[in-house]
Amino acid sequence: MTEQTTPVASSELDVQDVVKRAIELNDYSYLLEKVPYSQFIGMSVARFGDEMVFKLPAKDDNIGNPILPAIHGGVIAGFMEMSAIVQLMVFMQAKKVPKIVDFSIDYLRAGLHQDSFAECKITRQGRRVANVSINCWQTNRKQLIATARAHFLLD
C-alpha cells in the first residue's frame, strides 16, 4: 500500500519550502521564478533588513502607450499586486499563496519607460485577512506614480 498525498498538501509544502529557501539565502529570485507573470514583466526584489524593495525594469514589452512612452497601467497594477503577495509570503513564512480579496489602485502620474520600484507595508495582519498598502515610484520615492491598497485572504 502506498501513501497518497493530495495535490493541495503537496503544493502547500512546495510553497513553504520555496519561501523558506528564499529567506535563508536572502535571494528572492528563486521565489519569483515560480511565478510566470513576474518573469514576463522582469520583476526582481532586494531585501534590506525588514524592508523589501521591488523593481520593475524598463522593458519594451511593458509599454502601453508608445507615444510617451509609458508603462501599461495593468503592468503597474500587476507588479504592485505581486509585490504585496511576495511581501506577505516572506514575512508570514507562508504555507500557501495569499488570495486576493480586494485591490484598489490610484494612478498618480504616468509611469515612464524607465525602472520602477515598489515597497509594501503590511498595515494589518489577522489570522485570516491581511491589509497591505503599496507605493510605486520611479526616480523619487516622494513622487509616486501609483499607490494601492490590497486585502488578502490568508486561510
Side-chain angles (χ1 to χ4, degrees):
M1 189 161 115
T2 61
E3 187 176 313
Q4 293 182 351
T5 58
T6 62
V8 174
S10 175
S11 66
E12 286 177 20
L13 182 61
D14 293 343
V15 169
Q16 190 172 21
D17 288 346
V18 168
V19 171
K20 185 177 178 182
R21 178 178 173 190
I23 292 168
E24 287 172 357
L25 299 175
N26 197 30
D27 179 7
Y28 302 91
S29 60
Y30 180 71
L31 175 60
L32 292 175
E33 285 172 8
K34 303 296 181 190
V35 183
Y37 184 72
S38 69
Q39 287 181 301
F40 178 73
I41 63 174
M43 181 176 171
S44 63
V45 61
R47 183 172 177 179
F48 308 98
D50 286 340
E51 183 177 320
M52 295 181 86
V53 177
F54 298 86
K55 180 180 178 183
L56 177 67
K59 189 176 170 189
D60 290 343
D61 289 342
N62 293 341
I63 293 176
N65 181 343
I67 306 292
L68 290 178
I71 303 168
H72 190 283
V75 172
I76 294 171
F79 166 62
M80 294 173 76
E81 180 181 325
M82 184 58 53
S83 298
I85 290 170
V86 171
Q87 178 100 10
L88 275 173
M89 290 176 68
V90 168
F91 285 100
M92 291 177 12
Q93 296 188 14
K95 296 178 182 178
K96 293 181 179 180
V97 177
K99 295 178 184 173
I100 189 84
V101 173
D102 178 42
F103 186 83
S104 176
I105 186 166
D106 296 320
Y107 296 101
L108 305 174
R109 58 181 44 89
L112 301 176
H113 185 47
Q114 57 193 29
D115 292 350
S116 301
F117 304 92
E119 67 181 350
C120 307
K121 181 180 176 190
I122 300 171
T123 53
R124 185 177 189 289
Q125 179 186 336
R127 288 188 323 209
R128 298 194 53 175
V129 177
N131 299 344
V132 182
S133 62
I134 309 109
N135 289 328
C136 185
W137 71 93
Q138 289 187 315
T139 57
N140 183 340
R141 278 186 191 215
K142 293 182 181 181
Q143 291 182 331
L144 300 176
I145 63 169
T147 185
R149 292 155 311 284
H151 299 90
F152 294 93
L153 185 62
L154 306 175
D155 198 33

